[in-house]
Amino acid sequence: MKIRLNENADVVKVVKEGLKKTGGYCPCMREQNDDTKCMCKDFREKVKDPNFEGYCHCMLYYKEK
């Protein structure tokens, strides 16, 4: 398993700017709580699945099998 940043530098830049503005909370989520702190709970749960391969909700991270 490997987790990496999106290969698109523009996406990474925009999402990281959003994270700075929200204090580290996913800029794609409306609520700010422990579940939406980057790396969000949704993606952490997906990472646990050995068959999952794909991006997190905001497209910052990608999990490879």
Side-chain angles (χ1 to χ4, degrees), residues 6-34:
N6 190 322
E7 293 175 346
N8 185 323
D10 291 333
V11 170
V12 172
K13 180 182 175 187
V14 168
V15 175
K16 284 188 172 187
E17 288 172 358
L19 287 167
K20 286 179 187 176
K21 290 178 184 176
T22 63
Y25 293 95
C26 180
C28 303
M29 302 287 188
R30 289 184 180 193
E31 293 184 30
Q32 292 184 349
N33 57 45
D34 290 342

Side-chain angles (χ1 to χ4, degrees), residues 38-49:
C38 188
M39 181 177 294
C40 69
K41 181 180 178 182
D42 178 61
F43 191 61
R44 291 190 313 261
E45 293 294 321
K46 288 180 180 176
V47 166
K48 291 177 185 177
D49 177 357

Side-chain angles (χ1 to χ4, degrees), residues 1-8 11-12 39 43 46-47 51-65:
M1 174 184 72
K2 181 179 178 183
I3 298 173
R4 62 171 172 78
L5 288 176
N6 190 322
E7 293 175 346
N8 185 323
V11 170
V12 172
M39 181 177 294
F43 191 61
K46 288 180 180 176
V47 166
N51 295 315
F52 172 77
E53 182 169 5
Y55 288 100
C56 66
H57 186 260
C58 65
M59 304 285 289
L60 179 61
Y61 295 109
Y62 185 85
K63 181 205 170 208
E64 299 175 356
K65 287 186 184 178

